[in-house]
Amino acid sequence: MSKATDTQSDTGESGVIESVSGPVVTARDLDARMNDVVYVGEEGLMGEAIEIEGDITTIQVYEETSGVAPGEPVVNTGEPLSVDLGPGILDAIYDGVQRPLDVLETKMGSPFLDRGVDAPGIDLETKWEFEPEVSEGDVVEPGDVVGVVEETVTIDHKVMVPPDFEGGEVVSIEAGSFDVTEAVAELDNGEEVTMRQEWPVRKPRPSVEKKTPRTPLISGQRILDGLFPIAKGGTAAIPGPFGSGKTVTQHQLAKYADADIIVYVGCGERGNEMTEVIEDFPELEDPKTGNPLMARTSLIANTSNMPVAARESCIYTGITIAEFYRDMGYDVALMADSTSRWAEAMREISSRLEEMPGEEGYPAYLAARLSQFYERAGYFENINGTEGSVSAIGAVSPPGGDFSEPVTQNTLRIVKTFWALDADLAERRHFPSINWNESYSLYREQLDPWFKENVTDDWDEIRQWAIDILDEETELQEIVQLVGKDALPEDQQLTLEVARYLREGYLQQNAFHPVDTFCPPEKTYLILTATKTFHDEAFDALDAGVPVEEVQAVESVPQINRIGVQEDYEAYVEELKEDITEEIRGLY
Amino acid sequence: MKEYQTITEISGPLVYAEVDEPIGYDEMVEIETDDGRTLRGQVLESSDGIVAIQVFEGTSGIDRKASVRFLGETLKLPVTEDLLGRVMDGSGQPIDDGPEIVPEERRDIIGAAINPYSREYPEEFIQTGVSAIDGMNTLVRGQKLPIFSASGLPHNNLALQIARQATVPEDDEEGGSEFAVVFGAMGITQEEANEFMQDFERTGALERSVVFMNLADDPAVERTVTPRLALTTAEYLAFDKDYHVLVILTDMTNYCEALREIGAAREEVPGRRGYPGYMYTDLAQLYERAGRIEGRAGSVTQIPILTMPGDDDTHPIPDLTGYITEGQIYIDRALNSQGIQPPINPLPSLSRLMDDGIGEGLTREDHSDVANQMYAAYAEGENLRDLVNIVGREALSERDNKYLDFADRFEAEFIQQGYDTNRSIEETLSIGWELLSSLPKSELNRVDEEFIEKYYLEDDAETAEVTAD
């Protein structure tokens, strides 16, 4: 939604400012509905009506309000906060209300964000080559695809009949070069389909039904794919204290997840992190297609110092864009970093409204808002008959790293995958510092058939083996803390040794190493088999009377930790297994 | 300009006045008291007919007869390159008896956010000469890296050492942009202030510094303005005058206390521990004013200092700071009592921008591996110390003992260096290899084999396990 594309802004009612307090402004005599977009003050700052009491309307303003005074006008657009949907969303970077940041830089002529400058979410002048997929005389319904344009090298953008159209017979359609506002198809009832649609961000786009997700979203991260997988259409939360690697994990997912489209929402986080994404993604290759990553990515950057109300809306902007591509039949993954900042934005606005606070000052509707957001994820049958998915992965930043706080708790009640980041692991530079005892994935069983069919038959068995060893290690560590490792029986010492390789060679993964950063499921599996070979051979040797020190000293075993960095890992693992077997058998 | 004598309520740092014209949010206000003093303030809330004003100098002496003038503009700071070498109070008035400041421009102190699209990713290594920082938590230009300290710890010495020694090795050769320090003090004691000023004068740093001083007995409300003045100056010097600016803000805890005071006076719904719910946003608006901008030569690097109440890093001030800044440096009480200078504990410390600022062509090819390995080894040694207390050293394996020795030597040789020693990155890394070479090669699983070949000191290894290959 933007002033630049809105033709009705002059017809709306207008009022006057009554009071100003930070991002919250009240206006008198404004005939607005809840969530209508309004323009505030002489400068026309964008805002949204969030409370109506008598003839006083309370507005949250998406820009700085310094200098705005009572008596200045407020104009209502009569439209809810909406996003522009159409080709041009990918490879773009937006603020929280879908203003393209690159366009803002040009328009403002300054690297600093000025106020009252607006720009449409998608460029209105770019011409796109339209290829029809239906012919004159065909009947189309809402949601149906009438043609495609090549949005980026990776993605064909399907031009759909908007969901709020009636549909009918196509009376005119032809290939050619169009901008997003020109009609590409005309229907017999007079409706004109353009490439551009508008959709209110707080309203989910319609679908036929939500299905059970059965395909994993492969992330290339061993601990995620191997132990705590997320499904395409699934939901996940990554809570962790500062410095535990939330953002790196989110970035890794954005880079390597095998989704068709990535929507990355930087919600109230650091400016430099967004810059890193902007600089890196055009250079990096999409592992699926080999094209630049940006060709499948849309970025929403509302950094912590940008206006707080726009932070509240950026999550909705992101998920609406995700749903739009889902409607085309794509698998979309949305990363929200961080949902805590979003919740805090709600808290800040709520406290300025002097609402009765719930837990820790958060508004009482916090849980409802969080679940509404995550419920917009899922594996869907779309209204045009295609299937598409939106996977939502939200980082959570609990104060003091305490998971009992409201945002983490309310999130955990909804999401089905929980990747718990751990400050202790991070301090030991165990990355990704995902705690394997606390994390869980409820998708594990429903995704096993896929892994068995596409990777290996014994995927679930060897995973269980690894989990058992790690569980045993956790128990043994408690004893070790009391009596020392050498006081344990030999077989337990050996279990600890195996667990150490699982931790160092399997669970740890170097996001900054060119090879190790992405680990296909086959490699994830092979690392486990190599570790298990060591486990099986070592225990056989122990049974045959070989002292545990000698088993531990086997020279080839530490190479398990180097499988991750091998490009030609299959041959390496094969050879390594042979070496381990040979060396250990040589001991007895 | 209209004058009002319409004050209706005075409460803590706030004054409420009736007005009959629209007054802008954040607008500047002057209040003249009976005894002829002029106090400055800012509009916190503006409604039809009544405004809330926060008075920087405190409200004592104001009565209902005091006259209120609205200046029609938000708080602006006169900026010029001539600010270098000057000392100002916490609200930007010169206190060094120097000449009048002739401004080149007047800048709004509530800086606009840098467009993330216009930023340039920081990746130029700053050599601070402190091993625990350069080696393990590298600082880069445009970063915001706070020092998490606590009462009674020598964070000021560390900040001064960094301010004295910080250089970018390449620039020494090429003669790049000039370096400047902007120092913003909030609520520090006169004694601390003297310490800083004497050091600046002793080392000649003052002439390339701009100092804003709000002392412990200055009005608390003024502290909410001081860091904004410092950062506005820094942005001007960096992005208009091409300086590389290091901003030291101390003590952020006092700043946050001032925020809480204002919040309480306004009867706002408090967040955690009584701090306002918008403290995250407020702090972000300060910390995010660090960075680099594409096409501009200068940079703003921030080192805010905060003292953690009760040494507790889950307290809202360090907690929110840690979520905004790009890492943190912990000053450690135990290391300090051991006499380690500077007592930096590298384990909880972190520099998020380190990975892109180091390595071949920037520092040295093996830097990242060495840092990772030392972390892991020191963490392991630290972990074992608890165990030693219970079972004694004899009960531990040879491997464990090596790690314990490593941890001890790491503290005594790597972290310990004194406040006057300036180590180059080469020196730092070679101390690192000396220490790592006390471990068997097979334990160095985070270091590339190629670097082990090149840098591992074999002599030391003789004492290590014979099985090392």
Side-chain angles (χ1 to χ4, degrees):
Chain A
M1 180 77 195
S2 66
K3 197 165 40 175
T5 58
D6 190 12
T7 48
Q8 296 182 327
S9 57
D10 296 329
T11 61
E13 296 284 330
S14 76
V16 273
I17 296 178
E18 175 88 7
S19 76
V20 186
S21 165
V24 173
V25 167
T26 59
R28 182 188 295 281
D29 299 332
L30 183 72
D31 187 16
R33 282 171 304 180
M34 276 293 272
N35 300 112
D36 274 359
V37 168
V38 298
Y39 290 103
V40 174
E42 308 288 358
E43 290 170 278
L45 309 178
M46 188 171 163
E48 184 180 356
I50 52 170
E51 193 177 81
I52 297 166
E53 208 181 327
D55 63 346
I56 300 290
T57 306
T58 307
I59 298 155
Q60 62 176 0
V61 183
Y62 295 123
E63 300 181 71
E64 279 296 324
T65 51
S66 289
V68 174
E72 289 186 30
V74 179
V75 180
N76 182 21
T77 63
E79 303 271 336
L81 183 65
S82 305
V83 284
D84 288 331
L85 299 170
I89 290 177
L90 297 179
D91 200 8
I93 171 164
Y94 296 118
D95 76 351
V97 286
Q98 213 209 3
R99 297 185 301 176
L101 289 170
D102 48 346
V103 178
L104 291 188
E105 183 191 64
T106 319
K107 274 193 158 182
M108 293 169 181
S110 150
F112 293 95
L113 288 171
D114 212 344
R115 311 192 305 191
V117 179
D118 210 340
I122 51 176
D123 192 83
L124 302 179
E125 272 145 37
T126 310
K127 295 275 186 186
W128 301 90
E129 284 305 319
F130 176 77
E131 276 297 326
E133 295 224 317
V134 295
S135 322
E136 284 166 18
D138 288 352
V139 174
V140 290
E141 312 234 316
D144 283 356
V145 175
V146 298
V148 294
V149 297
E150 189 189 298
E151 183 172 1
T152 65
V153 283
T154 315
I155 297 297
D156 279 337
H157 187 104
K158 316 261 168 77
V159 180
M160 297 173 292
V161 180
D164 48 2
F165 272 29
E166 276 173 32
E169 193 186 312
V170 178
V171 292
S172 154
I173 187 165
E174 58 183 298
S177 190
F178 299 95
D179 69 32
V180 293
T181 55
E182 288 170 312
V184 293
E186 273 172 47
L187 308 185
D188 57 354
N189 61 359
E191 286 174 329
E192 292 186 342
V193 179
T194 62
M195 289 182 215
R196 172 172 167 269
Q197 303 186 8
E198 258 185 44
W199 194 263
V201 295
R202 294 182 201 278
K203 186 172 152 196
R205 284 174 69 87
S207 64
V208 177
E209 65 166 334
K210 217 170 174 175
K211 299 187 154 188
T212 309
R214 303 203 180 273
T215 324
L217 182 73
I218 299 293
S219 64
Q221 310 304 305
R222 286 191 284 273
I223 184 167
L224 305 188
D225 295 342
L227 300 184
F228 311 111
I230 175 177
K232 287 200 170 105
T235 51
I238 318 181
F242 60 81
S244 57
K246 283 183 299 298
T247 301
V248 176
T249 309
Q250 291 274 36
H251 281 193
Q252 288 297 94
L253 286 165
K255 285 175 192 168
Y256 301 115
D258 69 337
D260 300 309
I261 307 278
I262 302 287
V263 179
Y264 194 97
V265 186
C267 174
E269 289 285 312
R270 303 174 182 91
N272 281 331
E273 274 168 9
M274 292 317 295
T275 310
E276 186 185 6
V277 175
I278 299 166
E279 286 186 11
D280 282 0
F281 276 34
E283 318 262 302
L284 289 169
E285 263 183 28
D286 175 355
K288 226 172 142 182
T289 58
N291 297 327
L293 266 182
M294 267 318 276
R296 65 161 192 179
T297 309
S298 186
L299 296 174
I300 295 161
N302 210 85
T303 57
S304 54
N305 56 339
M306 284 157 76
V308 68
R311 195 191 306 161
E312 193 270 333
S313 69
C314 68
I315 293 277
Y316 294 105
T317 303
I319 194 105
T320 309
I321 288 174
E323 284 174 339
F324 179 57
Y325 283 92
R326 175 208 74 194
D327 284 348
M328 297 179 202
Y330 288 118
D331 291 316
V332 187
L334 174 124
M335 282 92 203
D337 184 13
S338 144
T339 55
S340 292
R341 304 298 161 229
W342 176 50
E344 281 166 13
M346 279 188 245
R347 174 167 73 181
E348 193 172 328
I349 305 281
S350 164
S351 91
R352 301 239 186 210
L353 294 178
E354 297 176 0
E355 290 173 342
M356 183 71 80
E359 217 177 332
E360 290 196 20
Y362 286 105
Y365 45 79
L366 172 72
R369 292 279 171 88
L370 279 168
S371 47
Q372 278 163 7
F373 163 66
Y374 282 107
E375 271 302 286
R376 288 173 76 170
Y379 195 93
F380 289 90
E381 185 184 329
N382 296 322
I383 54 172
N384 55 16
T386 58
E387 288 187 355
S389 69
V390 174
S391 316
I393 299 157
V396 184
S397 321
D402 172 11
F403 290 175
S404 67
E405 58 91 39
V407 182
T408 315
Q409 284 306 313
N410 285 314
T411 304
L412 287 186
R413 297 216 321 261
I414 316 155
V415 299
K416 294 182 83 175
T417 312
F418 173 52
W419 298 322
L421 294 174
D422 187 321
D424 282 344
L425 290 176
E427 265 187 31
R428 275 185 269 150
R429 292 306 186 264
H430 173 117
F431 287 118
S433 56
I434 296 170
N435 185 312
W436 52 94
N437 292 316
E438 281 182 55
S439 303
Y440 60 78
S441 166
L442 300 178
Y443 297 111
R444 218 188 248 166
E445 275 69 38
Q446 76 203 50
L447 297 177
D448 274 346
W450 188 94
F451 282 110
K452 284 183 168 179
E453 197 184 315
N454 293 283
V455 186
T456 172
D457 275 344
D458 59 346
W459 179 267
D460 52 342
E461 286 162 37
I462 198 156
R463 177 186 63 214
Q464 196 53 48
W465 167 79
I467 292 173
D468 290 344
I469 296 277
L470 290 168
D471 283 350
E472 202 177 336
E473 187 203 24
T474 310
E475 282 172 32
L476 291 176
Q477 282 296 355
E478 286 173 21
I479 307 173
V480 170
Q481 287 300 321
L482 293 175
V483 297
K485 208 196 289 182
D486 289 356
L488 293 179
E490 291 208 320
D491 60 327
Q492 293 187 342
Q493 287 189 37
L494 197 53
T495 303
L496 287 179
E497 188 75 357
V498 175
R500 185 163 72 91
Y501 284 111
L502 280 179
R503 277 190 283 112
E504 292 177 0
Y506 180 72
L507 298 178
Q508 289 187 18
Q509 188 172 351
N510 186 349
F512 299 100
H513 188 284
V515 177
D516 200 21
T517 183
F518 175 74
C519 184
E522 292 75 18
K523 191 172 176 183
T524 298
Y525 168 72
L526 283 177
I527 295 179
L528 278 189
T529 62
T531 320
K532 188 154 188 297
T533 302
F534 166 59
H535 171 267
D536 295 350
E537 292 297 331
F539 273 92
D540 285 350
L542 205 64
D543 288 344
V546 181
V548 70
E549 290 78 19
E550 282 185 33
V551 180
Q552 283 172 347
V554 168
E555 266 185 37
S556 52
V557 178
Q559 287 176 39
I560 291 175
N561 292 346
R562 302 218 180 248
I563 305 174
V565 299
Q566 304 302 324
E567 223 157 330
D568 186 15
Y569 56 88
E570 278 166 0
Y572 185 89
V573 170
E574 232 16 75
E575 203 179 311
L576 178 59
K577 281 191 200 164
E578 278 168 29
D579 288 352
I580 292 175
T581 312
E582 201 178 310
E583 262 192 87
I584 296 184
R585 292 197 180 163
L587 296 173
Y588 60 98
Chain B
M1 204 181 318
K2 219 167 167 180
E3 268 197 43
Y4 294 90
Q5 284 192 317
T6 51
I7 293 177
T8 55
E9 185 184 335
I10 303 168
S11 145
L14 300 189
V15 167
Y16 294 83
E18 281 175 1
V19 291
D20 58 7
E21 62 184 337
I23 302 296
Y25 175 68
D26 268 354
E27 202 170 288
M28 286 304 294
V29 186
E30 278 181 3
I31 298 177
E32 206 165 311
T33 59
D34 273 356
D35 49 5
R37 284 193 307 150
T38 304
L39 305 170
R40 301 196 309 155
Q42 194 174 12
V43 175
L44 267 194
E45 193 169 333
S46 173
S47 336
D48 211 6
I50 191 148
V51 293
I53 302 157
Q54 86 179 10
V55 184
F56 299 140
E57 288 92 342
T59 46
S60 78
I62 301 180
D63 60 13
R64 294 184 52 197
K65 295 195 292 290
S67 62
V68 180
R69 275 195 305 273
F70 295 92
L71 304 184
E73 62 169 23
T74 50
L75 182 53
K76 292 197 167 62
L77 175 77
V79 285
T80 151
E81 222 169 330
D82 297 337
L83 283 173
L84 286 167
R86 301 300 300 269
V87 182
M88 261 83 57
D89 70 4
S91 58
Q93 310 296 327
I95 48 170
D96 56 358
D97 304 322
E100 201 184 323
I101 293 166
V102 184
E104 214 159 288
E105 208 182 314
R106 298 175 74 246
R107 285 266 168 102
D108 200 322
I109 67 155
I110 317 264
I114 302 178
N115 187 333
Y117 184 80
S118 313
R119 279 181 187 266
E120 195 175 315
Y121 193 66
E123 44 198 5
E124 284 169 298
F125 164 65
I126 297 181
Q127 181 176 302
T128 63
V130 179
S131 291
I133 295 178
D134 293 352
M136 313 287 285
N137 296 291
T138 315
L139 177 69
V140 298
R141 266 184 188 160
Q143 186 172 12
K144 40 198 179 291
L145 189 65
I147 296 176
F148 280 16
S149 186
S151 319
L153 295 179
H155 42 264
N156 290 344
N157 295 348
L158 178 63
L160 280 170
Q161 185 176 18
I162 295 172
R164 267 197 317 268
Q165 299 180 350
T167 57
V168 173
E170 284 165 37
D171 282 3
D172 288 348
E173 294 149 28
E174 295 165 20
S177 303
E178 273 184 85
F179 187 71
V181 175
V182 174
F183 181 72
M186 288 91 72
I188 65 170
T189 60
Q190 183 68 52
E191 218 169 299
E192 281 175 295
N194 291 346
E195 209 180 298
F196 276 104
M197 291 313 297
Q198 279 160 9
D199 198 86
F200 283 156
E201 277 161 26
R202 177 172 67 86
T203 58
L206 189 59
E207 53 191 86
R208 55 183 179 106
S209 304
V210 187
V211 179
F212 294 91
M213 285 274 184
N214 166 285
L215 297 179
D217 55 353
D218 286 340
V221 182
E222 194 183 88
R223 276 166 215 161
T224 59
V225 180
T226 312
R228 294 190 162 81
L229 297 173
L231 289 165
T232 305
T233 311
E235 278 175 349
Y236 172 78
L237 291 175
F239 303 130
D240 288 50
K241 298 291 168 190
D242 297 345
Y243 283 88
H244 287 296
V245 187
L246 179 69
V247 184
I248 298 175
L249 299 172
T250 182
D251 174 336
M252 289 307 292
T253 306
N254 294 335
Y255 171 81
C256 294
E257 297 294 336
L259 276 189
R260 178 160 70 174
E261 189 181 327
I262 296 166
R266 294 179 66 189
E267 297 175 8
E268 291 170 344
V269 181
R272 271 210 304 155
R273 301 216 192 171
Y275 292 97
Y278 50 78
M279 195 159 85
Y280 177 82
T281 306
D282 192 280
L283 285 173
Q285 281 167 353
L286 299 180
Y287 296 142
E288 278 290 331
R289 290 172 82 173
R292 306 213 52 181
I293 291 178
E294 229 165 276
R296 310 278 170 109
S299 63
V300 177
T301 309
Q302 273 189 39
I303 302 192
I305 299 171
L306 57 89
T307 47
M308 300 184 281
D311 293 12
D312 173 14
D313 65 1
T314 67
H315 185 281
I317 299 171
D319 191 54
L320 295 180
T321 300
Y323 276 121
I324 304 163
T325 53
E326 284 137 352
Q328 64 279 333
I329 301 290
Y330 275 81
I331 306 276
D332 189 87
R333 201 172 288 282
L335 289 176
N336 186 47
S337 60
Q338 281 172 44
I340 306 273
Q341 293 180 335
I344 296 173
N345 182 357
L347 291 181
S349 300
L350 170 75
S351 165
R352 290 166 190 274
L353 301 181
M354 172 168 180
D355 291 290
D356 295 291
I358 61 172
E360 210 172 344
L362 299 157
T363 53
R364 209 170 79 180
E365 50 183 4
D366 56 326
H367 189 160
S368 160
D369 287 2
V370 170
N372 281 334
Q373 190 70 58
M374 284 204 288
Y375 261 113
Y378 182 55
E380 175 124 27
E382 260 289 309
N383 233 349
L384 288 167
R385 281 178 179 166
D386 295 337
L387 190 54
V388 170
N389 289 338
I390 303 168
V391 298
R393 261 200 169 212
E394 296 71 30
L396 296 182
S397 64
E398 195 190 344
R399 174 179 179 276
D400 289 350
N401 272 303
K402 280 200 163 50
Y403 275 102
L404 282 169
D405 291 338
F406 176 89
D408 291 342
R409 285 187 63 189
F410 180 78
E411 287 168 5
E413 294 170 36
F414 189 85
I415 304 181
Q416 162 71 26
Q417 67 175 84
Y419 295 113
D420 293 316
T421 312
N422 189 354
R423 285 186 191 154
S424 73
I425 184 66
E426 288 285 336
E427 286 172 67
T428 293
L429 290 176
S430 54
I431 296 172
W433 273 106
E434 245 169 67
L435 298 176
L436 286 180
S437 301
S438 69
L439 298 172
K441 275 185 188 174
S442 59
E443 288 293 323
L444 305 184
N445 56 5
R446 288 163 195 255
V447 186
D448 200 289
E449 273 150 348
E450 186 192 324
F451 302 143
I452 299 185
E453 282 311 308
K454 195 164 166 189
Y455 296 105
Y456 192 83
L457 306 171
E458 294 292 346
D459 292 348
D460 282 328
E462 277 173 11
T463 53
E465 262 180 281
V466 247
T467 53
D469 49 24

